[in-house]
Amino acid sequence: MRTRLGRSLVPALAALIPLAFLAVFFLLPVSAMVARGLHLDGQWSLDAVRDVLTRPRTRRVVWFTVWISSLATLITVLLGVPIAYVTYRLKLPLTGLVRGLLVMPFVLPTVVVGIAFRSLLSTSGPLGFLGWDGSWQAILAALVFFNIAVVVRTVGGRWQSLDPRQAEAAASLGASPWTVLRTVTLPALRPAVVSAAMVVFLFCAGSFGVVLTLGGVRYSTVETEIYLLTTNFLDLRAAAVLSLLQALVVIALLLLTERITDRGETRLRSGTSVQQRVRRSDLPHLLLTGAALIFVLAPLVTLVARSLQVGDGWGLGHYRKLTQVGSVPLLQVSVFDALLTSLRVAVDATLLAMLLGLLVSFVITRRPTSAGGRRLLSALDATFMLPLGISAVTVGFGFLIALDEPPLDLRSSPLLVPIAQALVALPLVVRVMAPALRSVDPREREATAALGASPMRVFWDVDRRVLTKPLLAATGFAFAVSLGEFGATSFLARPENPTLPVVIYQLIGRPGADHFGMALAASVILAGVTATIMVAVERLRGRTGSW
């Protein structure tokens, strides 16, 4: 009896720590944000919401967010589905390298993506003749560049696992290739396509670094408008209302995506797919994939090349200035010091995210026998995914208005940035480790416990064996996310300890070719560190085809 009680208490105690963290550093800031927007003169009111939403600028911002995100999603899906076919279904050499190059933009910090496109489209860049610098076309291109990997990986992974016998049976009955695609393949892929489209739309609508870097104050999405209202116009009430609106829309879209995906998955039959030989009819898809590779590589190659361009010659001058204090006016540290700060903060955030993520994964992967227990764990799982539905900008803003009074006056605390970044990384850590723990047969745990092992010994002897690679991969993910995080950090970083993404954004806001060159050099270093980490993560994760 005592043993059974102990086995029940251990998950409950393990859940308390992450729940307390989520309550203090997520629910409290979000609640404060809601109160700031809706609680006026001592009573709840919708007047502030009505006032903010009827402003002409707000309507322009919301409309721009909707149409630029919709257009970017449409283009990304139209490009990504044929590329997924080429890279996952056709028997070609170097498909692994092609997939890796196409996925690379997604792991880059958003500020780096913005800088890369500015280096390509500015008046002195290779495509400056297009006149797209600072335009909505530049934002659209960068959003497609950033998200094409989502469609390729999501749809390609599903396409790779489809049972080919269904299409072969339809073809043997006389159906044309177009009929097979329309009546067999696309219906089977529909859940993956819908899921990818929803995720791309959410990423586009919540894009912060890309839009802020390329659009400035001329083109604002809801995400960047929250930042501008807070930092430039000090209109906290309007920022709170927009944050609340964004959170509600994002959560609704996430729930809708899960519902549509679940319905489709019940109709899907999976099998072992065989890659097919290239046919003449595949030529348009191959040309499209080649064009996509050029589209992905062009801004990155330009970024590296222009970081080495000093005046009329070439050299490492911009890189040398990164180590000099005072090379940037009003910047209290060197850019290299900012890189060190980013690394230190990323280490702290990663440790915190891993500790919490391990506890959460341990709890939500238990297998209770009662229906009530299963519902409770499902609710806990959804609760810890909530930070995915709230933008990092909203999290940072919530910290400012909620954690500014005793006993939680943390505005000057050096822990605030690592805590915010850990909150952003936590859902990804859980999503990497939980599947591994779910793969463990519960009878192994029960057998080990029956031999007298304590809960900790059961975890060490049984669960640890499947956790080694996911643990390393999750650590890499958390570190890379923290290293490039810009949304929450832009609110919270102290002037004496800025992170590298914050400094890069400050550099491009200053006049002069030297500052822009230093921003390019810093972006190359940040992209190199992040890409190296993610390559190691991909090798550890293997070809799972999932995120």
Side-chain angles (χ1 to χ4, degrees):
M1 182 68 181
R2 290 181 59 184
T3 303
R4 186 181 306 171
L5 181 62
R7 286 204 295 268
S8 301
L9 281 177
V10 169
L13 293 175
L16 285 180
I17 296 175
L19 277 175
F21 178 85
L22 201 68
V24 174
F25 296 109
F26 181 74
L27 297 180
L28 179 61
V30 171
S31 301
M33 183 185 67
V34 173
R36 181 62 64 97
L38 304 182
H39 199 247
L40 303 174
D41 301 325
Q43 59 183 352
W44 294 95
S45 170
L46 295 177
D47 290 346
V49 177
R50 193 179 305 112
D51 173 62
V52 173
L53 296 184
T54 54
R55 294 178 185 176
R57 179 174 172 84
T58 301
R59 290 202 293 267
R60 286 199 303 272
V61 167
V62 172
W63 172 238
F64 180 74
T65 304
V66 171
W67 78 257
I68 195 78
S69 302
S70 302
L71 185 57
T73 302
L74 178 63
I75 295 173
T76 306
V77 171
L78 291 177
L79 286 175
V81 171
I83 295 172
Y85 168 73
V86 170
T87 55
Y88 282 87
R89 291 290 289 189
L90 294 184
K91 191 174 184 179
L92 288 168
L94 303 177
T95 51
L97 176 62
V98 173
R99 281 200 297 262
L101 291 173
L102 291 172
V103 168
M104 183 169 53
F106 188 76
V107 304
L108 296 177
T110 55
V111 172
V112 173
V113 173
I115 294 287
F117 270 85
R118 284 197 65 176
S119 67
L120 182 69
L121 299 172
S122 64
T123 53
S124 57
L127 298 183
F129 63 90
L130 293 175
W132 284 6
D133 188 23
S135 67
W136 64 265
Q137 291 92 338
I139 297 173
L140 178 67
L143 291 177
V144 174
F145 168 90
F146 187 74
N147 289 296
I148 198 168
V150 176
V151 179
V152 172
R153 287 295 299 267
T154 305
V155 178
R158 177 54 62 190
W159 212 329
Q160 192 177 36
S161 65
L162 285 183
D163 189 343
R165 290 173 297 183
Q166 299 175 51
E168 292 169 358
S172 66
L173 294 174
S176 65
W178 167 247
T179 303
V180 172
L181 176 67
R182 184 171 53 83
T183 60
V184 179
T185 306
L186 286 182
L189 290 176
R190 188 182 304 149
V193 175
V194 171
S195 176
M198 286 287 191
V199 171
V200 170
F201 182 85
L202 288 175
F203 281 154
C204 291
S207 180
F208 178 62
V210 168
V211 179
L212 194 63
T213 305
L214 294 172
V217 297
R218 184 181 180 190
Y219 294 103
S220 282
T221 59
V222 171
E223 186 88 352
T224 57
E225 187 70 3
I226 295 169
Y227 175 81
L228 295 174
L229 285 170
T230 305
T231 58
N232 290 14
F233 306 114
L234 302 178
D235 190 349
L236 299 185
R237 193 176 304 280
V241 171
L242 288 182
S243 297
L244 179 61
L245 171 68
Q246 185 190 41
L248 293 175
V249 171
V250 169
I251 291 173
L253 287 176
L254 285 175
L255 293 175
L256 178 63
T257 303
E258 186 176 356
R259 189 178 181 86
I260 294 175
T261 304
D262 286 346
R263 283 182 180 177
E265 290 293 343
T266 59
R267 299 194 299 267
L268 200 61
R269 295 180 181 176
S270 298
T272 302
S273 175
V274 178
Q275 289 182 318
Q276 62 190 46
R277 299 180 63 179
V278 179
R279 300 167 299 186
R280 182 175 298 177
S281 58
D282 295 325
L283 182 59
H285 305 135
L286 293 171
L287 292 176
L288 182 66
T289 303
L293 275 177
I294 296 173
F295 173 66
V296 165
L297 292 176
L300 299 178
V301 172
T302 305
L303 175 69
V304 176
R306 294 199 61 185
S307 72
L308 297 171
Q309 192 173 6
V310 183
D312 295 331
W314 301 87
L316 298 174
H318 297 313
Y319 289 88
R320 292 192 189 96
K321 288 183 179 177
L322 300 182
T323 62
Q324 299 171 5
V325 179
S327 56
V328 182
L330 303 180
L331 187 61
Q332 301 180 22
V333 299
S334 71
V335 180
F336 184 72
D337 291 333
L339 172 62
L340 296 180
T341 299
S342 288
L343 293 172
R344 285 195 297 268
V345 170
V347 169
D348 295 340
T350 301
L351 290 175
L352 185 55
M354 292 305 300
L355 173 63
L356 296 171
L358 191 58
L359 290 173
V360 173
S361 302
F362 173 75
V363 172
I364 65 173
T365 53
R366 300 303 96 183
R367 299 184 183 182
T369 55
S370 66
R374 289 192 292 272
R375 284 195 294 270
L376 177 61
L377 289 189
S378 296
L380 280 176
D381 190 2
T383 300
F384 287 110
M385 292 301 107
L386 281 177
L388 273 183
I390 307 296
S391 75
V393 170
T394 301
V395 172
F397 177 46
F399 274 33
L400 285 183
I401 64 176
L403 306 179
D404 62 343
E405 295 180 356
L408 288 174
D409 187 0
L410 301 176
R411 285 175 302 176
S412 59
S413 171
L415 296 177
L416 208 55
V417 175
I419 288 173
Q421 294 185 356
L423 195 61
V424 174
L426 176 60
L428 297 176
V429 171
V430 174
R431 278 294 166 263
V432 173
M433 291 198 296
L437 288 175
R438 285 197 179 98
S439 68
V440 175
D441 190 337
R443 290 174 296 186
E444 291 186 53
R445 298 191 184 106
E446 294 169 0
T448 308
L451 294 175
S454 64
M456 184 60 71
R457 186 57 187 259
V458 171
F459 177 81
W460 183 257
D461 289 345
V462 179
D463 300 279
R464 179 186 57 84
R465 290 186 287 109
V466 301
L467 266 183
T468 303
K469 285 187 176 181
L471 200 65
L472 292 173
T475 302
F477 261 123
F479 192 82
V481 168
S482 301
L483 199 60
E485 208 288 319
F486 178 58
T489 309
S490 61
F491 279 91
L492 305 172
R494 307 286 298 176
E496 63 272 19
N497 288 308
T499 62
L500 189 53
V502 172
V503 168
I504 290 173
Y505 179 68
Q506 292 177 356
L507 283 170
I508 62 172
R510 300 180 188 281
D514 284 347
H515 292 149
F516 189 65
M518 291 173 65
L520 295 174
S523 297
V524 170
I525 292 176
L526 185 57
V529 173
T530 307
T532 302
I533 293 169
M534 293 311 300
V535 167
V537 168
E538 280 296 304
R539 293 183 66 86
L540 290 173
R541 296 188 72 197
R543 294 170 58 183
T544 61
S546 63
W547 292 94

